């Protein structure tokens, strides 16, 4: 392989992003420490390429200026805006912003006489290519879900965005419920919030299902709830469950008169959801009504529809790899349609 030193160093993004995509797929969590080293490398290489373009002048300088401007003024702010609009997560935004600085223009790799990427764009903004490739790859996920559901004869309004999951697999599943007791919804209970609730009260979903009447009563809450955490899936897929909080071997220690903050407990606080949210906060935007409805559903259903969401760093990784090898998929699609 023949390439400039900056372009070779840019390939360090591949192992970093591969690891981050795996973390996103497995836990939907990527440590913040993942991005600063790559961001520092991106800034150094941007200055390096800028100095070379300035020295070369002419077309090289103009190409660098256009590509860099689009990457830094369009792609990076767009990623931040999508995060602010809750379109995707913070790690997704950080990855795209770092890639916008790291790949402002198209890199060039000569592999056995074949120059990669094969297909460039008129703007020369490689970060825009990464973004468009990512969006196109991510758009395939609903098609895959619908095809899988159709093959299993699960034809419902949720077939494009969800899949049925057994209740005993929910504590190891990412996403949110697509159901309430009255039908389908796009704003069902977040499963991270469910895991937080179970860990907070020191119970498992199996226990709640075994005796919902008992666990529905606020008196069943522990006197000293456990740390709720952030809802991440544990290595064994089960919520944190410490029997040390049990005093009678049968259930949580009762605290019938007061909630966790010492105020009188409302008798209508089914499942103790108000006490939970008062203690831990909004929990991914979960409301008392939403959590209560989700628990009622899970107490009686053996299988529920879940929207797994997209571990967006996986499409980002694929969008980068496709961009490095082939180039811009969107331009290819538009060309095939005779639009460009």
């Amino acid at each position: 392989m023949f390439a400039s030193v900056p372009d070779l160093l840019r390939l360090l993004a591949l192992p970093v992003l591969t690891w981050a995509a795996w973390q996103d797929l497995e836990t939907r969590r990527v440590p913040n420490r993942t991005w600063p080293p790559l961001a520092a490398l991106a800034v150094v290489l941007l200055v390096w390429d800028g100095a070379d373009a300035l020295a070369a002048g002419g077309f090289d300088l103009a190409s660098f200026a256009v590509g860099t401007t689009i990457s830094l003024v369009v792609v990076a702010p767009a990623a931040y805006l999508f995060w602010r609009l809750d379109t995707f997560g913070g790690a997704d935004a950080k990855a795209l912003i770092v890639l916008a600085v790291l790949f402002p223009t198209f890199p060039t790799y000569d592999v056995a006489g074949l120059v990669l990427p094969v297909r460039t764009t008129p703007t020369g903004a490689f970060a825009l290519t990464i973004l468009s490739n990512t969006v196109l790859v991510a758009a395939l996920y609903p098609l895959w879900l619908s095809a899988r559901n159709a093959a299993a004869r699960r034809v419902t309004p949720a077939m494009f965005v969800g899949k049925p999951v057994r209740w005993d697999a929910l504590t190891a599943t990412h996403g949110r419920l697509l159901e309430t007791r009255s039908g389908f919804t796009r704003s069902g209970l977040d499963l991270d919030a469910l895991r937080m609730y179970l860990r907070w009260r020191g119970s498992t979903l199996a226990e709640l299902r075994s005796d919902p009447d008992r666990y529905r009563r606020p008196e069943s809450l522990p006197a000293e709830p456990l740390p709720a955490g952030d809802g991440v899936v544990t290595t064994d897929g089960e919520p944190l469950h410490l029997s040390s909080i049990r005093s009678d071997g049968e259930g949580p220690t009762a605290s019938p008169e007061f909630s966790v903050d010492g105020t009188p407990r409302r008798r209508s606080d089914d499942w103790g959801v108000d006490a939970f949210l008062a203690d831990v906060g909004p929990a991914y935007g979960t409301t008392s009504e939403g959590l209560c409805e989700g628990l009622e559903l899970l107490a009686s259903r053996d299988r529920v529809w879940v929207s797994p969401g997209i571990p967006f760093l996986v499409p980002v990784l694929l969008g980068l790899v496709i961009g490095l090898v082939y180039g811009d998929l969107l331009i290819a699609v538009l060309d095939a349609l005779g639009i460009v």
Side-chain angles (χ1 to χ4, degrees), residues 27-32 171 173-175 190-200 226-234 240 276 280 282-286:
T27 69
R28 298 299 197 275
R29 305 288 192 280
V30 179
N32 287 328
T171 53
T173 301
H174 302 284
D190 191 300
L191 295 180
D192 282 347
L194 172 65
R195 280 183 284 273
M196 290 175 65
Y197 170 80
L198 293 174
R199 291 167 186 171
W200 176 82
L226 295 170
D230 65 353
V232 65
V233 174
T234 57
L240 182 65
F276 165 70
V280 306
Y284 303 101
T286 301

Side-chain angles (χ1 to χ4, degrees), residues 24-278:
D24 195 20
L25 184 63
E26 289 294 299
T27 69
R28 298 299 197 275
R29 305 288 192 280
V30 179
N32 287 328
R33 64 178 182 275
T34 304
W35 311 113
L38 204 57
L41 175 64
V43 171
V44 170
L45 297 183
L46 182 65
V47 173
W48 189 334
D49 279 348
D52 288 347
L54 188 61
F59 179 78
D60 289 345
L61 180 58
S63 298
F64 175 79
V66 171
T68 301
T69 298
I70 293 175
S71 296
L72 301 185
V73 178
V74 177
V75 177
Y80 176 78
L81 180 61
F82 291 153
W83 170 66
R84 294 295 297 177
L85 294 175
D86 203 26
T87 304
F88 50 58
D92 308 327
K94 292 171 186 174
L96 288 173
I97 290 171
V98 168
L99 290 177
V101 181
L102 188 62
F103 290 97
T105 59
F106 272 78
T108 302
Y109 304 97
D110 189 328
V111 182
L114 178 64
V115 178
L116 304 177
V118 174
R119 190 169 198 130
T120 60
T121 63
T123 64
F126 189 63
L128 191 58
T129 288
I130 296 173
L131 179 60
S132 62
N133 285 353
T134 297
V135 172
L136 288 176
V137 171
L140 296 177
Y141 187 60
L143 297 178
W144 176 80
L145 273 178
S146 61
R148 183 179 177 183
N149 287 323
R153 298 181 180 179
R154 298 190 293 256
V155 181
T156 74
M159 65 183 294
F160 293 96
V161 293
K163 61 181 181 179
V165 178
R166 277 185 52 86
W167 71 267
D168 51 2
L170 288 174
T171 53
T173 301
H174 302 284
R176 64 173 56 244
L177 298 182
L178 279 173
E179 287 186 75
T180 64
R181 287 172 296 173
S182 59
F184 287 102
T185 178
R186 292 299 302 272
S187 56
L189 175 63
D190 191 300
L191 295 180
D192 282 347
L194 172 65
R195 280 183 284 273
M196 290 175 65
Y197 170 80
L198 293 174
R199 291 167 186 171
W200 176 82
R201 71 176 298 159
S203 304
T204 65
L205 187 55
E207 289 173 331
L208 267 63
R209 286 173 55 89
S210 68
D211 192 357
D213 288 338
R214 176 173 182 269
Y215 284 94
R216 192 179 286 115
R217 296 194 298 269
E219 290 83 358
S220 68
L221 293 178
E224 296 183 4
L226 295 170
D230 65 353
V232 65
V233 174
T234 57
T235 54
D236 61 0
E238 284 296 321
L240 182 65
H241 181 76
L242 300 180
S243 58
S244 60
I245 67 169
R246 307 297 176 84
S247 62
D248 56 5
E250 296 181 358
T253 303
S255 178
E257 298 300 331
F258 298 96
S259 62
V260 293
D261 60 359
T263 59
R265 197 186 300 280
R266 288 199 303 112
R267 305 303 297 182
S268 60
D269 184 12
D270 284 352
W271 302 100
V273 295
D274 287 345
F276 165 70
L277 293 176

